[in-house]
Amino acid sequence: MSTQSIHYLKPAALRLPPGIPESPSRQRRHTLPASEFRCLTPEDAASVFEIEREAFISVSGTCPLYLDEIRHFLTLCPELSLGWFQEGRLIAFIIGSLWDEGRLTQESLTLHRPGGRTAHLHVLAVHRTFRQQGKGSVLLWRYLHHLGGHPAVRRAALMCEDMLVPFYERFGFYPVGPCAVTVGSLAFTELQCSLRGHSCLRRNSNC
């Protein structure tokens, strides 16, 4: 794959929404090893799956994406992913794809539709060593900021269990009703978020 399709993000001082604490690592930047946010590539797929498998299978018995599906999306739309690396090690990630319908469906789990205006967030996961440190919040805020730099993408959408709805509401997501997608006995709520405000942040930033 051409390196022209790999998008590296310049470090930028982003202000988190009110009520979201900065991660301890962000508060102690002078003691940190090198930290980098960048879009993922197919070569990162194994590391992604290792984190995802540990985070999800022990809880629900299944993964949002399996290894072949991760490679699939990181080949088709790497610009809709974001990984957080410390000293070259992946510690957290988000993978997304484009969708062109008003609501998520079973097909949206496996398809990328380039003409779509909705970024479907398939999975957000943090390595177990770095959980409970606010890193998921930092990564999601950076990801939405990143999506704001894609003029064709108007909104973000995801599905989650009810207990996670308050977490995503802090970033501007709002419930639109029960999701049409089910996984075994698991049912989900669908949430959406306008990227208009994040687009303004992008235009007014120096990155």
Side-chain angles (χ1 to χ4, degrees), residues 15 41 43 75 84 117 120-121 138 142 148:
R15 183 171 298 172
T41 73
E43 288 72 27
T75 299
W84 188 348
R117 293 185 175 272
H120 173 201
L121 281 63
V138 173
R142 278 186 173 266

Side-chain angles (χ1 to χ4, degrees), residues 40 48 65 70 73-74 80-81 93-96 120-123:
L40 300 167
V48 166
L65 298 174
I70 293 168
F73 286 121
L74 296 185
L80 296 173
S81 68
F93 69 88
I94 295 175
I95 293 178
H120 173 201
L121 281 63
H122 292 273
V123 57

Side-chain angles (χ1 to χ4, degrees), residues 95-135:
I95 293 178
S97 66
L98 290 181
W99 186 240
D100 59 358
E101 297 182 20
R103 297 288 298 271
L104 299 177
T105 69
Q106 202 72 33
E107 286 186 321
S108 67
L109 299 185
T110 56
L111 295 180
H112 167 62
R113 291 182 170 167
R117 293 185 175 272
T118 297
H120 173 201
L121 281 63
H122 292 273
V123 57
L124 183 163
V126 178
H127 191 282
R128 62 182 179 274
T129 306
F130 298 92
R131 290 177 198 150
Q132 305 302 318
Q133 299 177 25
K135 285 184 166 52

Side-chain angles (χ1 to χ4, degrees), residues 67 79 101 179:
L67 185 56
E79 71 281 2
E101 297 182 20
C179 188

Side-chain angles (χ1 to χ4, degrees), residues 29-114:
R29 284 179 297 179
H30 61 285
T31 64
L32 276 178
S35 185
E36 175 189 32
F37 293 85
R38 67 165 172 82
C39 295
L40 300 167
T41 73
E43 288 72 27
D44 298 311
S47 297
V48 166
F49 186 58
E50 179 182 352
I51 295 173
E52 185 191 18
R53 180 174 54 185
E54 188 278 329
F56 287 92
I57 288 185
S58 61
V59 176
S60 62
T62 186
C63 283
L65 298 174
Y66 284 89
L67 185 56
D68 287 346
E69 296 166 325
I70 293 168
R71 290 196 179 107
H72 171 74
F73 286 121
L74 296 185
T75 299
L76 291 179
C77 48
E79 71 281 2
L80 296 173
S81 68
L82 187 63
W84 188 348
F85 294 80
Q86 288 190 354
E87 291 190 320
R89 177 190 182 190
L90 181 66
I91 66 166
F93 69 88
I94 295 175
I95 293 178
S97 66
L98 290 181
W99 186 240
D100 59 358
E101 297 182 20
R103 297 288 298 271
L104 299 177
T105 69
Q106 202 72 33
E107 286 186 321
S108 67
L109 299 185
T110 56
L111 295 180
H112 167 62
R113 291 182 170 167

